[in-house]
Amino acid sequence: MSVITTVEQLEALYGLPGETSLVKELDYVIPEYAAFIEASPFAALATSGPEGLDCSPRGDLAGFVRIHDPKTLMMPDRRGNNRADSLRNILRDPRVGLLFLVPGSGTTLRVNGRAHITTDAALCASFSVDGKPARSVTVIDIDSVYFQCARAVHRSELWNPARHVDPKSLPTPGKILEITSRKGIDGEADKEWPERAKKSMW
């Protein structure tokens, strides 16, 4: 097996990026990029810490990530499993990456920056949904923002209903927990999960 170990080898294989791959990258949000952030109900948040890397899903109503100004984004954190892996990482290493998806669009938007966490009461309250404020808000100072071309989404046919997987064909979270806990958790209780999840979303 041939292993690439240097940047020179990598560039020899792939070549250098073209002008369009470079000119699209900015260090602030323009209205055209804002349109994707405001339309997105889902983003993947990447962080790094002493224990390793983490990539965590973040979802809410479209536009849940707020554009405070062209150099600053704000993202609410809501109820979850309290692992807080991303937040723990941010406390030790502020570097973050975001990948925004917009249902129906192949184009995604990438943001890299540095983050800090605030529990300012007024700010958390401004992100309230159904009367429930955000538990905290992650404030992101933007280093770079650019769109990602649609090839990966198109290849995957991500938004094609004919390609969607029947959830019943996959192991349920309860079943997985039953196995990983060596039957310490009853997988049958998973049947109640969809309704419980709806009640505790915010």
Side-chain angles (χ1 to χ4, degrees):
M1 180 173 64
S2 297
V3 178
I4 294 176
T5 58
T6 68
V7 172
E8 290 75 19
Q9 290 173 322
L10 189 68
E11 290 177 347
L13 178 64
Y14 284 95
L16 297 175
E19 180 184 7
T20 56
S21 295
L22 300 175
V23 73
K24 66 184 179 180
E25 182 175 349
L26 301 172
D27 62 358
Y28 61 94
V29 176
I30 57 175
E32 290 74 13
Y33 285 164
F36 284 91
I37 296 172
E38 291 166 351
S40 174
F42 179 88
L45 171 65
T47 59
S48 175
E51 292 81 21
L53 303 175
D54 184 73
C55 188
S56 175
R58 290 290 189 270
D60 219 320
L61 302 176
F64 73 102
V65 174
R66 180 181 300 168
I67 303 170
H68 177 67
D69 61 48
K71 288 284 293 179
T72 313
L73 301 181
M74 295 180 170
M75 181 171 58
D77 192 72
R78 307 212 182 270
R79 294 184 62 176
N81 58 18
N82 292 332
R83 282 183 59 112
D85 294 319
S86 299
L87 303 184
R88 292 175 191 274
N89 280 350
I90 288 170
L91 293 176
R92 279 86 59 85
D93 184 341
R95 294 176 299 168
V96 298
L98 280 169
L99 177 67
F100 290 94
L101 277 73
V102 178
S105 172
T107 302
T108 59
L109 191 75
R110 297 172 63 172
V111 174
N112 297 315
R114 289 155 291 109
H116 66 270
I117 304 162
T118 179
T119 56
D120 179 84
L123 183 59
C124 289
S126 73
F127 281 96
S128 292
V129 175
D130 289 346
K132 297 179 181 179
R135 299 183 74 176
S136 66
V137 175
T138 300
V139 181
I140 300 164
D141 298 318
I142 295 171
D143 289 330
S144 65
V145 54
Y146 52 98
F147 74 88
Q148 184 76 33
C149 72
R151 289 189 183 93
V153 174
H154 286 323
R155 287 175 185 144
S156 68
E157 296 192 57
L158 183 63
W159 309 123
N160 181 358
R163 295 287 187 180
H164 289 181
V165 174
D166 182 355
K168 294 179 181 178
S169 70
L170 299 172
T172 65
K175 182 62 176 178
I176 295 170
L177 288 171
E178 183 178 288
I179 292 171
T180 57
S181 69
R182 294 180 173 83
K183 296 191 176 182
I185 295 175
D186 180 12
E188 287 300 308
D190 185 64
K191 293 178 179 177
E192 302 173 8
W193 166 245
E195 290 306 315
R196 288 206 319 272
K198 291 178 184 177
K199 293 177 182 177
S200 63
M201 279 198 304
W202 312 117

